[in-house]
Structures are given as C-alpha cells and as structure tokens.
Amino acid sequence: MLKPYKENVQKIKEEVYSIGQEIVYANKISLSALKENDLTMLKDINLSIKLLSSRSNEIDNLIVKTLALYSPEAKDLREMVSYLKITNELLRAAANSKSFIKTFKKSFTDELDKHLILEYAIPLLKASNQALEIAVKLVKEDDEKTIESDFHKVCVEESKTDDLYAIVEKNTLKLITKNIELSKDYFDVLSSLRRLEKIADRAASIANLLLFAQMGGTIEQAK
C-alpha cells in the first residue's frame, strides 16, 4: 500500500489506542477508590462521553475516507472494517464506566454491608479492566501468535467477570431479603456492578475484532 495509506492507518490506531487508554485509566482510579473505600476519589475521574464520541466520529470519518481513497483489500480491508466497529465498542465501554461511577457513588451508602459487596466488587472491577487493558494493547500488536494468545487472556478475564457478578448478585439478593428498606440502594449497587461485566463484554468484542483483522475468520456476535 501507498505511504499516505499507511500513515492514515497508523493515525487511526494511535487515536483508537488513546481512547482506550483513557477508559482504562478511569477504571484504574475507580479500582483504587474501591480498594481504599474512598469514593471521593471518583471525583477525579473526567470521562466525557461527548468528547470521546466526537473523537470517535473523527476516527470513523478517517476510516471511511481511507476506504474511499485507497480501496484496501483482504487483510487491509478487514483491518479498516474492524476499527470502524471498535470505535463503537470503546464508546460503549466508556458509557458503562461512567454509569458505574455515577450509580455506585450515589448508592453505596454507609447503611449497606460494604464489606460483603466490596469482597467481590473489587476483583470484578479488576478483571473487567484487565480484560479491557489487554484488548486495547492489542491495537498496537502485529504478531499473530501474540494476538491469539492475548485474545484468549481477554476471554479468561471476561469469564471471571461473569462468575464474580453471579456471586455478587446472589449475595446482594440475600442482603435485600434481610433489609427490605435498603432494597433500592442494593439494587442500584447491583446495577452499577453489572456495568463492569458489560465492560468486559466490550473488551472481548474488541479483542475478537482485532483477531479477525489479523487472521480472518468470522466476527462473533457481541453481547
């Protein structure tokens, strides 16, 4: 391919990676807040969905322009199609991150059994962000074996989030039966933790798209 095409592809990858890292960083602050049981730290997170959406649109426009100008084929075409989908997956991940921060901060009151919730919420957030971080790093990876290996690592972390959320859900429902008056707060906490599971789903979808871009095959249906 021509040099201008390669420059466009490199710019697309850099911008996608940058958005991904911003979401990963926000989740790391959230994780620190939960570990230290200090939700005031969540105020330091500045994750603007509006700005991310604007940046995502710019990437999409560059992808469409690149497709129109250079008509890539085979692997190059798969790569462009994959990144067109990945920008949307990242926006969904960001929206889930922001929803978690907002809802958890509001509903995680002193009246709740914080210890029981955090016991599994912390590893849930850790596994969720680990899945996303590995998936985002794949944007800069070209080695097929590494991509395939890291894809499976993402799937392992995503599976962990499913298991951890199931435990949190079970424990929370037990707490609700004992404290009906706190049921709304418990359900809101549960709803916020569900966002973390969704982030891992988006990470698995991103990793699958990057695997498809490199090796072909089929794109699995995102959850």
Side-chain angles (χ1 to χ4, degrees), residues 111-125:
E111 290 78 15
L112 305 185
D113 189 333
K114 291 187 172 184
H115 175 75
L116 191 61
I117 293 172
L118 291 177
E119 182 179 4
Y120 293 100
I122 290 172
L124 173 57
L125 176 51

Side-chain angles (χ1 to χ4, degrees), residues 4-117:
Y5 170 82
K6 292 182 179 180
E7 289 175 347
N8 280 4
V9 171
Q10 185 60 32
K11 184 176 181 180
I12 289 166
K13 287 184 177 183
E14 288 174 356
E15 289 299 319
V16 168
Y17 181 81
S18 176
I19 290 176
Q21 284 297 310
E22 191 168 329
I23 303 167
V24 168
Y25 178 71
N27 291 341
K28 285 183 176 180
I29 297 177
S30 294
L31 181 59
S32 295
L34 265 62
K35 284 182 176 180
E36 298 180 25
N37 196 15
D38 182 9
L39 299 192
T40 61
M41 296 174 64
L42 297 177
K43 295 179 181 179
D44 297 332
I45 301 174
N46 182 24
L47 198 62
S48 171
I49 303 301
K50 184 177 180 180
L51 290 178
L52 291 179
S53 180
S54 177
R55 289 168 61 188
S56 176
N57 287 335
E58 289 178 2
I59 296 171
D60 289 348
N61 289 336
L62 180 57
I63 292 171
V64 172
K65 179 181 177 181
T66 302
L67 287 169
L69 288 176
Y70 304 104
S71 301
E73 298 179 353
K75 180 182 174 182
D76 293 325
L77 178 59
R78 291 199 309 269
E79 191 173 48
M80 288 295 95
V81 171
S82 294
Y83 280 109
L84 200 57
K85 293 177 178 289
I86 287 170
T87 54
N88 181 59
E89 295 292 348
L90 285 173
L91 279 181
R92 294 173 69 182
N96 281 313
S97 293
K98 187 156 188 176
S99 178
F100 163 74
I101 294 165
K102 181 180 178 180
T103 307
F104 193 85
K105 182 170 59 176
K106 182 180 178 181
S107 57
F108 195 61
T109 62
D110 290 334
E111 290 78 15
L112 305 185
D113 189 333
K114 291 187 172 184
H115 175 75
L116 191 61
I117 293 172

